[in-house]
Amino acid sequence: MIIRSKDLSSDVNEKVDVCVIGSGAGGAVMAKELSEGGHSVVVLEEGGYFTRKDFNQKALDMYAMMYRDFGFTVAIGMPSIPIPTGKCIGGTTTINSGTCFRVPDYILKSWQENYGLEDLTSEAMRPSFERVEKTINVTPVGLDIIGKNALVFKRGTEALGFKGAPIARNAKDCRGCGVCVFGCPTDAKQAMHLNYIPLSSQCGAKIYANCRAERILTEQKRVKGVEGLFLDQKTNKKTHKMKVEAKVVILTANAFYSPALLLRNKLANSSGQVGKNLHIHPATRVTALFDEEIEGWKGVPQSYYVDEYFEEGIMLEGIFVPPNYGSASLPSFGKQHKELMKDYRHIAAFGVMVSDTSRGRVRIDQRGRPLITYRMNRSDTRKMAKGVAITSEIFFAAGAKKVFPYLPGLPEISSKQEVDRIRERRPKATDFTMMGFHPMGTCRMGKNRKKSVVNSHCESHDVTNLFICDGSIFPSSLGVNPQLSIMAFATHAANYINANADRYFQ
Ligand SMILES: Cc1cc2nc3c(=O)[nH]c(=O)nc-3n(C[C@H](O)[C@H](O)[C@H](O)COP(=O)(O)OP(=O)(O)OC[C@H]3O[C@@H](n4cnc5c(N)ncnc54)[C@H](O)[C@@H]3O)c2cc1C
Ligand code: SF4
């Protein structure tokens, strides 16, 4: 059952076992696994509830409807980096690309060594990954819908003898229409509003849309519930109050809003780590002009990856946006921009994503909203430059006429030899037009309560029965897109709560 603010005529009071804040990758999984475990669950989601009937594929409408701040969330720094997130039932999964990777084993090992997370071995996590993958139908993209943008890049990758493969995605009967980030109009992409949320409803969970959690209530360092406000979908004005009495509270508001809520409530921060250690997987794009027609908007936009330099922290992943929005997304100007748009049919594009060791931070402003800062360090800047050079090389190996690395003083290059001009530079972070799509780390997990916010079961070190289970818990960058790992860690934590129900629900 999904209840929206417009369905209500009075304030709401609930008394349940579990209150989940947020309905994205972490929250939806928690709601389903815990309600299936026999517990009464309510979910509070600040954003609205939308279905494929609402997904009109118009970028501006969809930004206004399902992206937080119209997609203009920015980490301030040199340069400032936009990091959009979702605000709707299903959270960012409703507007993401559907790419699914498991957290690499070597990352789990590094967490065992550096953060005392010995119990989180790949063996221990495997059943949770398998359960999620089955529920959301994770399968590699078929060649019929992979798109020419990917096929061209695959050609270049193979010509250079690099490693690459079609991406596994949470999709069923995908037609490759290319608008995943504006909500899938055919329900092919298996975002949370199509599986985990309805499954939790079937087990009795109540899902409240347009309901923003404001306060986490505690008594003697134990959670007691949550207070929130219902908001009008159109005006965002307060309509009613919400009060939930709950034995367990699960915070899954994402790596910006979970720390912000904790900081506002002055909770769970004896370590001083809440809001720190922000990683974002900074990403940039390289485009290329071919003689042949690419029509990159046809097919799955993110359908192929190259992990030849993965262990150096460089991942290349397909990226393409439809022409009506692509104009604004090309980092070119004036005459060059006009020429490129004329040739849009012949353009291919690929993304460079860096597994960052740089750290940002989430603080709160006077109104309690997240204030995000991020500074890219030299090592990550060099990785980004190397990623741009490799991507350019792959495009030339695939037969590109021109490649556009969009670097200051080097907007385009016309031959493989010129790729050395990228390598010879001393890159600066401000050279790149970047975005981030994967905020992580701001309530990090660890054994040492002085250095981390939650333990390996996602439970707060400080507040009994408070769990945090979203992208904020990862102690370092994953190097791969995080949604699947967030869902698997939520499954793992929910299993733990279910297995220890006597303790948590007494
Ligand atoms: C355009 C785009 C494409 C992406 N593509 C991929 C991809 O292909 N593969 C991948 O792995 N990752 C991708 N990601 C990232 C991925 O979707 C996110 O990392 C993941 O969904 C984060 O999960 P989460 O549980 O941390 O938070 P979210 O999924 O962001 O969910 C958090 C929810 O909490 C709600 N909330 C916040 N504060 C409150 C409050 N106070 N009260 C109530 N509710 C609140 C928010 O409105 C939101 O709905 C993409 C991201 C973007 C923006
Ligand atoms: S390519 Fe189209 S059909 Fe496939 S998941 Fe994306 S939006 Fe849905």
Side-chain angles (χ1 to χ4, degrees):
M1 181 167 37
I2 297 181
I3 303 148
R4 307 178 221 211
S5 56
K6 67 175 184 185
D7 303 323
L8 300 170
S9 53
S10 61
D11 294 346
V12 180
N13 287 289
E14 291 279 3
K15 190 172 176 182
V16 286
D17 293 331
V18 183
C19 178
V20 181
I21 302 170
S23 66
V29 172
M30 276 291 194
K32 182 254 184 188
E33 297 297 349
L34 293 175
S35 51
E36 215 171 83
H39 312 297
S40 53
V41 174
V42 298
V43 177
L44 313 186
E45 166 55 55
E46 182 176 354
Y49 174 47
F50 308 103
T51 67
R52 67 176 176 186
K53 289 190 211 121
D54 304 296
F55 303 156
N56 70 6
Q57 302 172 39
K58 292 185 185 154
L60 292 181
D61 290 353
M62 297 300 100
Y63 280 131
M65 193 169 92
M66 291 189 291
Y67 279 68
R68 188 169 288 274
D69 303 326
F70 295 86
F72 286 121
T73 306
V74 171
I76 300 161
M78 289 288 281
S80 291
I81 303 179
I83 311 173
T85 59
K87 192 180 92 173
C88 52
I89 292 286
T92 311
T93 72
T94 310
I95 48 105
N96 76 12
S97 307
T99 294
C100 290
F101 284 102
R102 292 187 185 188
V103 56
D105 281 0
Y106 82 90
I107 296 282
L108 285 178
K109 283 197 186 111
S110 76
W111 294 353
Q112 288 155 26
E113 282 158 25
N114 301 326
Y115 297 94
L117 300 170
E118 289 92 5
D119 44 340
L120 297 180
T121 59
S122 47
E123 279 308 304
M125 291 306 299
R126 181 169 301 135
S128 297
F129 274 103
E130 285 171 354
R131 187 169 169 87
V132 175
E133 284 162 353
K134 195 165 168 221
T135 310
I136 61 173
N137 201 56
V138 176
T139 36
V141 178
L143 285 181
D144 52 332
I145 50 164
I146 200 166
K148 186 103 187 265
N149 190 51
L151 288 176
V152 159
F153 208 73
K154 182 171 178 283
R155 189 167 77 207
T157 303
E158 287 167 359
L160 292 175
F162 289 169
K163 274 194 293 160
I167 281 176
R169 306 175 71 239
N170 51 324
K172 230 184 242 173
D173 304 324
C174 167
R175 299 179 194 169
C177 69
V179 291
C180 318
V181 298
F182 305 134
C184 176
T186 61
D187 282 351
K189 190 184 74 184
Q190 294 298 296
M192 298 293 97
H193 70 296
L194 295 176
N195 37 64
Y196 276 95
I197 289 291
L199 287 169
S200 65
S201 285
Q202 279 166 30
C203 297
K206 273 192 194 169
I207 321 292
Y208 287 98
N210 316 111
C211 182
R212 183 171 68 211
E214 297 279 346
R215 283 185 66 208
I216 297 175
L217 308 171
T218 58
E219 205 175 277
Q220 292 174 340
K221 296 199 171 174
R222 188 184 192 92
V223 286
K224 285 283 153 198
V226 178
E227 279 178 359
L229 291 171
F230 285 96
L231 307 164
D232 181 88
Q233 173 73 41
K234 288 207 178 96
T235 63
N236 215 31
K237 286 199 174 132
K238 301 161 198 167
T239 59
H240 297 99
K241 289 184 187 162
M242 162 61 109
K243 184 162 183 184
V244 186
E245 231 180 281
K247 291 176 182 155
V248 167
V249 172
I250 317 263
L251 179 56
T252 64
N254 84 25
F256 297 147
Y257 280 80
S258 288
L261 192 59
L262 293 177
L263 291 170
R264 268 204 319 266
N265 282 262
K266 298 190 171 49
L267 270 184
N269 196 18
S270 68
S271 64
Q273 295 300 315
V274 170
K276 291 186 182 165
N277 314 305
L278 171 70
H279 300 288
I280 61 166
H281 284 163
T284 192
R285 69 168 54 202
V286 178
T287 53
L289 186 63
F290 284 79
D291 278 329
E292 68 200 89
E293 279 198 352
I294 309 285
E295 297 189 315
W297 59 92
K298 293 186 179 166
V300 175
Q302 194 160 80
S303 57
Y304 189 76
Y305 71 100
V306 174
D307 60 348
E308 179 72 20
Y309 292 88
F310 183 68
E311 274 160 31
E312 290 181 36
I314 301 165
M315 183 77 159
L316 311 181
E317 290 181 3
I319 178 141
F320 212 93
V321 283
N324 59 349
Y325 166 68
S327 163
S329 74
L330 284 176
S332 52
F333 303 97
K335 199 168 161 236
Q336 190 199 22
H337 191 74
K338 210 167 152 192
E339 291 301 310
L340 262 185
M341 280 315 291
K342 255 196 335 210
D343 285 329
Y344 205 66
R345 209 170 267 284
H346 296 262
I347 280 177
F350 230 75
V352 178
M353 184 174 93
V354 163
S355 180
D356 49 338
T357 54
S358 309
R359 284 163 197 224
R361 185 163 175 184
V362 177
R363 297 175 176 87
I364 46 172
D365 66 13
Q366 283 170 340
R367 290 163 59 207
R369 290 171 48 89
L371 186 69
I372 307 155
T373 51
Y374 183 86
R375 188 161 169 269
M376 192 146 117
N377 65 26
R378 281 215 185 149
S379 150
D380 290 339
T381 306
R382 280 196 291 266
K383 286 185 226 168
M384 187 64 90
K386 184 164 180 179
V388 169
I390 297 160
T391 308
S392 306
E393 232 170 18
I394 293 175
F395 273 134
F396 282 122
K401 276 203 306 198
K402 279 183 190 168
V403 170
F404 306 92
Y406 298 114
L407 296 169
L410 197 58
E412 62 177 69
I413 47 178
S414 307
S415 70
K416 189 173 170 251
Q417 290 66 35
E418 278 190 285
V419 175
D420 286 341
R421 292 176 63 194
I422 305 175
R423 294 212 164 90
E424 283 155 11
R425 295 166 68 97
R426 286 191 59 194
K428 296 196 292 287
T430 47
D431 288 351
F432 304 98
T433 304
M434 289 187 275
M435 286 189 80
F437 298 93
H438 306 153
M440 296 165 282
T442 48
C443 298
R444 74 177 174 196
M445 191 181 250
K447 193 173 193 171
N448 186 340
R449 53 187 308 139
K450 290 191 181 144
K451 293 186 176 168
S452 57
V453 182
V454 294
N455 65 21
S456 61
H457 305 297
C458 300
E459 186 170 10
S460 157
H461 289 304
D462 295 353
V463 183
T464 308
N465 287 22
L466 173 65
F467 288 77
I468 304 165
C469 206
D470 53 22
S472 69
I473 58 170
F474 298 132
S476 72
S477 278
L478 304 185
V480 293
N481 314 48
Q483 66 164 347
L484 190 71
S485 302
I486 297 171
M487 294 174 206
F489 274 70
T491 307
H492 193 70
N495 286 345
Y496 174 80
I497 298 172
N498 282 332
N500 292 280
D502 291 354
R503 175 141 63 92
Y504 291 112
F505 301 107
Q506 49 183 284

